[in-house]
Amino acid sequence: GRVLTNQAPLNVVETVLTVFPDCLMYNPAAFFMACRHYTTNQSVLVAMVKHSLSSRDPSDSECPFPWILSDLVTVSAAQAILEIYPQGVLEPSPMLSGKTLLDYLLRSSELQKHQQESVSSNLWTKLKLILVSAECSQQANCTACKKNGNLSPAHVLLNRVLSYPDFFDNVSVARNTIWLLNQLASTDAWIFQKPDAKGIYPLHVVLQQECTPQHHTGKVIARELVKTLLQVHPQSARCLLHQRLPIHWAVEHNWPCHDLLLAVYPEALDAQDSTSELYPFQIAAAAASVSTRTTRTSTPCKQAENLSSASALDITFELLRANPTHVRPIPAKHHTGVRAEA
């Protein structure tokens, strides 16, 4: 502690770490002191983090810096730490109730506790850094992605929350997610308005996944999620993914948002899926048929399947009602039945 308080040069700090290799183990106070006394030079902090990682047990899968969320750690210090070991944000920690740094911020209301100043707070900036780090930890060349502006933090957030089994039924988590998305939209709308390297928009990320609410509340959450994304980037309702419009993905995966998509892009009602050549109402009918068969042949999550089947039938009816001309009589020449003879 005295070495850091006196702002010892880097070579002195490195010598101390060599002589006392375990001095940083379970000692976040040392990192807090480095942040405080080396505000303009991160080299000492970087050396400390690297030393801590090098002396780590290879089998240890705990986050090495859960204390990074503390106000005692500056944003610049947090950035320096995360650049060294970005995968740490996806490792759990007992200090965070067994959650990862990313999950802790997404599942808790920590950022909402000081809602008025949260948009400009250090913790809010750290969330953005954590989202970027989570993406970097899963890419081979993150430096190139940063340089080319190909990072997609909104995609990371959405993929993460939709991976939670309880997302559609955990009101507090869903409410926090919607709040975070709205805050990001107000400060960094561009992350919702650009596709990732594969041409996928945030709206596609959501609609590609199956919507599986257990109760009516879950359907409300699903609608609110899609509504939020459409508000920040309504043009995404027109954007194709694998030659399919968002409404095709939505009705296939039982998202109760066809009316929201049609309100932005009404022409989608008459658009056939380029793969199956089906109209949206036909895709919804097929989804209803699959849900009905599944419900009859299996018992787990039966309530959710019943709700999904009913939702798909409702969507089919509403889409047909919006344009009844899609139901046309089959011309006589198309009938291939055999005429009965006496």
Side-chain angles (χ1 to χ4, degrees):
R2 186 174 300 177
V3 172
L4 298 175
T5 303
N6 293 331
Q7 298 183 350
L10 176 61
N11 62 329
V12 173
V13 174
E14 289 176 334
T15 300
V16 172
L17 293 176
T18 302
V19 176
F20 303 100
D22 297 331
C23 63
L24 296 179
M25 187 176 297
Y26 306 112
N27 186 16
F31 295 93
F32 296 156
M33 295 179 69
C35 292
R36 178 180 179 182
H37 296 290
Y38 296 87
T39 55
T40 59
N41 184 3
Q42 304 294 345
S43 59
V44 169
L45 178 65
V46 168
M48 291 170 62
V49 173
K50 288 183 176 179
H51 174 83
S52 180
L53 291 172
S54 66
S55 57
R56 188 186 189 198
D57 188 328
S59 63
D60 188 0
S61 60
E62 289 185 10
C63 175
F65 40 72
W67 37 262
I68 201 173
L69 299 179
S70 170
D71 289 336
L72 298 175
V73 178
T74 63
V75 170
S76 59
Q79 183 173 359
I81 293 170
L82 293 175
E83 286 179 351
I84 297 171
Y85 193 67
Q87 56 267 46
V89 304
L90 297 179
E91 296 177 342
S93 170
M95 290 181 62
L96 301 173
S97 302
K99 298 182 179 68
T100 67
L101 282 166
L102 179 58
D103 291 330
Y104 178 78
L105 290 179
L106 295 184
R107 294 186 67 92
S108 73
S109 57
E110 190 70 26
L111 282 162
Q112 292 192 58
K113 289 181 180 178
H114 306 288
Q115 186 168 347
Q116 297 300 321
E117 67 269 15
S118 62
V119 174
S120 58
S121 71
N122 287 347
L123 190 58
W124 181 252
T125 306
K126 288 176 184 178
L127 169 64
K128 298 178 185 179
L129 292 174
I130 288 170
L131 287 170
V132 171
S133 298
E135 184 171 9
C136 283
S137 67
Q138 298 172 339
Q139 293 189 2
N141 192 348
C142 185
T143 303
C145 289
K146 288 181 179 180
K147 185 177 180 180
N148 299 329
N150 288 334
L151 292 175
S152 309
H155 297 63
V156 175
L157 190 157
L158 291 168
N159 274 315
R160 194 69 178 184
V161 297
L162 288 172
S163 71
Y164 301 153
D166 65 340
F167 175 73
F168 291 107
D169 301 294
N170 191 322
V171 176
S172 62
V173 172
R175 184 183 294 119
N176 192 57
T177 298
I178 302 299
W179 183 84
L180 287 172
L181 290 171
N182 281 316
Q183 295 299 318
L184 281 171
S186 67
T187 60
D188 302 271
W190 64 271
I191 67 175
F192 298 95
Q193 298 168 355
K194 64 183 286 292
D196 64 7
K198 297 180 180 178
I200 300 175
Y201 283 89
L203 182 64
H204 293 142
V205 171
V206 172
L207 300 182
Q208 276 192 106
Q209 304 195 40
E210 196 74 26
C211 184
T212 56
Q214 298 282 345
H215 307 286
H216 176 72
T217 302
K219 294 178 65 175
V220 174
I221 290 170
R223 282 181 61 83
E224 195 61 31
L225 179 59
V226 174
K227 185 187 298 183
T228 301
L229 296 176
L230 286 174
Q231 285 175 343
V232 67
H233 188 47
Q235 294 85 352
S236 59
R238 302 170 177 266
C239 297
L240 298 171
L241 176 63
H242 305 317
Q243 301 304 310
R244 306 181 78 195
L245 285 169
I247 194 168
H248 297 138
W249 293 103
V251 297
E252 179 180 352
H253 295 143
N254 298 310
W255 284 86
C257 64
H258 60 284
D259 55 325
L260 301 177
L261 294 167
L262 291 175
V264 177
Y265 185 39
E267 294 87 348
L269 182 66
D270 302 318
Q272 291 177 285
D273 181 351
S274 62
T275 302
S276 64
E277 298 184 352
L278 297 178
Y279 289 103
F281 88 91
Q282 294 171 315
I283 298 174
S289 177
V290 170
S291 297
T292 301
R293 289 198 303 271
T294 304
T295 302
R296 290 174 179 172
T297 57
S298 62
T299 55
C301 303
K302 191 171 184 178
Q303 184 177 7
E305 291 167 353
N306 285 333
L307 184 62
S308 175
S309 178
S311 175
L313 287 172
D314 290 341
I315 292 171
T316 303
F317 174 73
E318 291 175 14
L319 290 171
L320 268 177
R321 187 173 59 178
N323 190 351
T325 62
H326 284 159
V327 181
R328 302 182 182 92
I330 301 176
K333 63 180 181 180
H334 286 177
H335 289 280
T336 57
V338 178
R339 185 171 56 183
E341 296 182 0

